[in-house]
Amino acid sequence: MRKRVLSGIRATGRLHLGNYLGAVKGMIELQNNPSYQCLYMVADAHTITTPYDPKQLSDNRKEIIIDYLASGLDPQKSILFIQSQIPEHFELTYYFSSIVTIARMQHLPTYKEKVKQYPQNNTMALLNYPILMAADILVYKANLVPVGADQEPHLEVAREIGRKMNQLFKTDFPEPIRFATKGEYIPSLKGEGKMSKSVEGSYINLTDSFDEIRKKIRSIPTATTAGGPLIGGLKTLFILGQIFLSSTDYQNFKNQYNQGNLQFSQMKDTLAQVIYEELKSFQERRKEIEKNEDYVNEVIKEGAIRAREIASQTLKEVKEKMGF
Ligand code: TRP
């Protein structure tokens, strides 16, 4: 049997370069490997665990599907769907919640961070976030999950839940593991933390024009003199360089840096040019897909049907074994 892959991105906004490099590239790699059956969703239900705007949520759901398609995810090869259209995720979350303690959820670093960020929003949905994510994965009995390293604590919860379910109720959930991609940690343009939708000025949008990209790359804080350890903005610049520049260009800039004669503006503008080249084809494909609304709706509808076929099987099994 083929191994199953599941991943999702929260519908908090359009995809940016960090999601693209960190998550979507890994998704595409797995999709093109015939040993895997891939399911990729828009995690719209996870979006309401932090304050949100309903109109924006409604738009973003479809926008992310379009981003997926333009990035190269292919509905002939992968099942692309919207999380909230598969009610089995929620039903399984409830059953799973009966074997997870409140204390376990309260101690997760992701939970603590969000409570700090939104003290007025310490909700049950936020506390349940990891259980819903476990249900997302286990309802398809997925083996591999392409996500960033920051999601490792959530995957640990999913493995614990699967194990405990298997022990208590003789289910056969696998132990899902994280599939790491090369560009999984894309640092912020501000030189601190990671590229994130929630930090203004930290990211490059996939739809940015050449001028916007150049302006953003030029804004990465770098010293006026070269040499010394690669920290802060310098680290961001060189990590992006490593991902996007040819190895010759990268090595040249690196040597110049070490010798203390690197012209930062030259490296930045070269980098901006290469990033734009990569995004240009994405932008062209996206324009084509945007025009074809019927096609996008059809992809979403088909995806839900196919995802539900698998999910309902698991639910049937779990309910029986749990005594319903
Ligand atoms: N928590 C993930 C993130 O913030 C998004 C997500 C929700 C997810 N459900 C998932 C990722 C299931 C992988 C599998 O990136």
Side-chain angles (χ1 to χ4, degrees), residues 1 20 65 83 89 96 138 147 186 251 271 274 299 310:
M1 220 181 78
Y20 178 69
I65 293 284
Q83 179 189 33
H89 291 225
F96 281 174
L138 295 176
V147 279
I186 306 303
Q251 211 42 60
L271 187 58
V274 184
V299 167
I310 305 172

Side-chain angles (χ1 to χ4, degrees), residues 6-10 41 43 46 83 129 133 136-137 145-147 150-151 154:
L6 178 118
S7 193
I9 292 180
R10 290 216 310 157
M41 62 172 194
H46 274 111
Q83 179 189 33
Y129 187 115
M133 182 160 158
D136 295 337
I137 297 167
V145 184
V147 279
D150 61 319
Q151 296 298 307
H154 290 153

Side-chain angles (χ1 to χ4, degrees), residues 25 40 80 83-84 118 126 167 171 175 226 249 291 315 323:
K25 280 213 158 180
Y40 298 127
L80 306 180
Q83 179 189 33
S84 67
Y118 306 104
L126 186 63
Q167 258 169 26
T171 47
E175 295 211 352
D249 276 355
K291 277 189 229 152
L315 250 296

